[in-house]
Amino acid sequence: MRIIHLILGGLIFLAIIVVYIAQQPPTGEAIGYAQSNYPGMMAGGEGAERSAPLFLPILLWQFCVIGLGIAFIIQATPVHNRTIGFYGAMFVSGLAMAASWAALMLSYKNYLISGETAYIFGFPLATSWLVYGIWLSEAFLALFYVIGFRRYVFTEENERAFAQLLAEKKSAPSQEERL
Amino acid sequence: MEISRELIVLFCVGTYMLLSIVVGLWAIRRTRSAQDFFIAGRSLGPLVVSMAVFSSTLSGFGFVGGPGLVYATGMSSIWMVCVSALGYAIAFYTVAKSVRMISELRDTLSLPDILADRFGSSTVRLLTAITILLGVLGYLATQILAMALVLQSILNEVPAFAGINLVICAVISLSVLVFYSYTGGIVASVYTDLIQGLVMIIAGILIVLAAVHVFEGGMAQASQVIFNNDAEAIMPFGTMGMVVCLSWFFMFGFGLAGQPHVITKFMMNRNVKDTRIILPITLFGYVMAAMLWISIGVVMRAAVIGGLADPLAKADMAAPIFLGLFANPWLAGVVFAGLFAAIMSTADAFLNIGAAAIIHDIPKALRGKALQHELKWARLATIGLSILAAIFALYSHYVGGQLIAILGAFGWGMFAAALVPLVVLGLNWKGATKAGAIAAIAVSIVINIGIQLLSLKLPFAMAGGFVAMLASLITFISVSLFTTGPNVPEDISRVMDI
């Protein structure tokens, strides 16, 4: 099975989740309601009531999206650059994003059960996972791009191949008709 | 003598506009050909490209609409922002290198050029150009209206200009934008982006510092005030719930790689290796500027609930009211200049790709060859497009109607749905076919227009652009797997192996 088939499978799986969610009857204030005291300000209402039925599909939705993001990058990386180090970097990045997402959902669920939350760096714990955890875990991909650029993205061999292609193009203009 | 707050703000905004004009004058000499006008002759250094990429991504929406959304819906809209690192990473891994190499190899001027060469199809070129043009009109009209409204609100505070007409404000701000876009094309655009990006970063950092001091207990106290009023608002999915947040995450994250005004910037760096430096600088700039989105929104919501500020007449007033109440006048001046910077940097990027679609891509798709004297036509198209977008904007404002809203549907979500499959997958998968590309664009247009024209409300307020993007990605791969098309040209095939 090739990466493109995995991507198609992931997209179809995501579509199935979306269709499943779309068929669920909304519970509680599913998309919020207007606050009467403060015009223009919405409220979410009872979190547990509106979130509980969607918890599992939403969890899977985001795991699927994280997997798709990694798969897009693998698909775009030439086969000869996909070394063990590259796959390791993708695995670590995917794991970091998945772990942050799982931690966010777990702390949100704990809050919904207990009604209490700790505050970390200015926000409730679950929100801190969003503001800091999700953002920083994604940054692993950017970090690997910088560190691994000459190993996985544009190696010296790639650079030579491109220079040669340009040289060939200059010396013998392509016969292909430009559209 | 104490200078009034209004004059300080006016001075900062005026200085910024003057700088933009100076850059426009400087760029005239560096713009001698259509290649210079559209892609800056592929000669830009990494800092300039980085600032251009991030500042054209974060439009005025990030400075006004973003804080307004947090005020109105709590943390929901933060999902649009916190996906930025993943979005930029995907764009750089999957698109930046290929686009830069094909651009140099085939001497291309625009994204439709690249896609037409990749798929061997003038239909793909035409559809891509039309998609871009429609999206540009909607985006541009919104940006022009925003510029005029912000300038009007600033001038109204100065007694000498009180009651100034919106049309005059539109003419003033549009004149600055058109001047530097006309004289210097993308060269002026990216160098003004450099100034704009730096202003936005400084504004973002200073605003966070101001915001954490509004409440004695800092952001934690602001969060607690919101929590006590409506806990869901400060929880990770905000008031709008989980489904809409994740649909935004997908659309804004993966969709970033399909934004033509961003992709075009990838053609401009002087060599492929620079992308290694461009990604982290871009990301740093975006994160710094986007902190303004979060901090102003949270603090203003808490300030209104906590009685420190009156309820806002409109959520979009969150940033201006915050600046009036809690910021030093000079900081307010810098942020207002930053706001103009954000709007103009996005608008000039759209003017550029829109002009390319009109005078380069569409004629090439229909006639099989480009126009003669492209530089002259590009400059005229820049003026024409600006005037057309300004008419749309003012008509929509005064007469009402849904024109901008409908065209707006062709904005981010449309670009994401129509172009992500073609660039993220199409430039990296040799099995992708012309039929797949055409089908994906068609599906994305039909779904986006359908949702807008029929005023469809999707379950759980799911974003229409997300549904269109998911459908178009599935269509692209499925149709490509079941069809064959012209083989990938040999040189582009070799690029795809690199």
Side-chain angles (χ1 to χ4, degrees), chain A:
Chain A
M1 180 179 281
R2 291 156 57 193
I3 297 290
I4 197 71
H5 298 125
L6 280 176
I7 292 174
L8 180 60
L11 290 166
I12 291 171
F13 181 61
L14 183 58
I16 291 169
I17 294 174
V18 169
V19 170
Y20 172 80
I21 288 174
Q23 289 178 335
Q24 300 307 304
T27 51
E29 298 291 348
I31 55 168
Y33 63 96
Q35 292 215 43
S36 53
N37 297 352
Y38 310 108
M41 204 185 278
M42 306 283 291
E46 182 52 54
E49 188 186 2
R50 67 179 190 159
S51 302
L54 301 178
F55 223 82
L56 184 61
I58 285 289
L59 193 69
L60 294 175
W61 169 328
Q62 192 66 352
F63 281 137
C64 183
V65 167
I66 291 167
L68 280 169
I70 298 292
F72 283 150
I73 292 173
I74 294 174
Q75 168 69 31
T77 304
V79 177
H80 47 84
N81 289 359
R82 294 183 205 163
T83 60
I84 292 175
F86 169 76
Y87 282 116
M90 290 301 112
F91 179 74
V92 169
S93 300
L95 196 64
M97 287 189 282
S100 293
W101 168 241
L104 183 156
M105 289 298 271
L106 192 64
S107 39
Y108 182 51
K109 187 156 196 179
N110 284 341
Y111 152 73
L112 291 177
I113 293 168
S114 68
E116 291 174 0
T117 177
Y119 285 80
I120 307 287
F121 299 124
F123 295 103
L125 179 58
T127 309
S128 281
W129 276 111
L130 168 65
V131 175
Y132 307 110
I134 298 276
W135 219 340
L136 282 176
S137 65
E138 293 165 9
F140 272 100
L141 284 172
L143 186 69
F144 285 128
Y145 188 84
V146 176
I147 295 173
F149 189 82
R150 293 303 256 168
R151 271 178 278 179
Y152 319 126
V153 181
F154 193 61
T155 62
E156 286 179 10
E157 190 187 329
N158 293 154
E159 192 178 0
R160 278 195 295 274
F162 183 54
Q164 188 185 345
L165 183 57
L166 281 177
E168 286 173 24
K169 195 85 179 173
K170 275 183 187 166
S171 60
S174 168
Q175 294 303 308
E176 288 155 3
E177 288 276 323
R178 289 287 300 280
L179 286 161

Side-chain angles (χ1 to χ4, degrees), chain A residues 21 35 42 44-45 50 62 80 108 111 122 127 135 138 141 145-146 153 159 168-169 176 178-179, chain B residues 72 82 84 86 93 97 106 125 223 229-232 234 238-239 249 273 275-276 301 460 491 494 497:
Chain A
I21 288 174
Q35 292 215 43
M42 306 283 291
R50 67 179 190 159
Q62 192 66 352
H80 47 84
Y108 182 51
Y111 152 73
T127 309
W135 219 340
E138 293 165 9
L141 284 172
Y145 188 84
V146 176
V153 181
E159 192 178 0
E168 286 173 24
K169 195 85 179 173
E176 288 155 3
R178 289 287 300 280
L179 286 161
Chain B
C82 76
S84 56
L86 177 61
Y93 274 104
K97 184 181 73 173
R106 291 289 189 118
R125 183 198 295 279
S223 295
N229 169 255
D230 174 56
E232 278 294 279
I234 195 68
T239 66
F249 185 91
K273 283 185 287 186
T275 56
R276 179 187 200 172
R301 186 171 174 116
F460 298 95
D491 57 341
R494 283 171 64 182
D497 289 330

Side-chain angles (χ1 to χ4, degrees), chain B residues 118-124 127 422 431-440 476 479-480 483-486:
Chain B
R118 157 64 183 89
F119 290 101
S121 164
S122 55
T123 311
V124 170
L127 284 175
L422 276 67
T433 65
K434 179 175 85 174
I438 293 170
F476 180 75
V479 173
S480 292
T483 54
T484 52

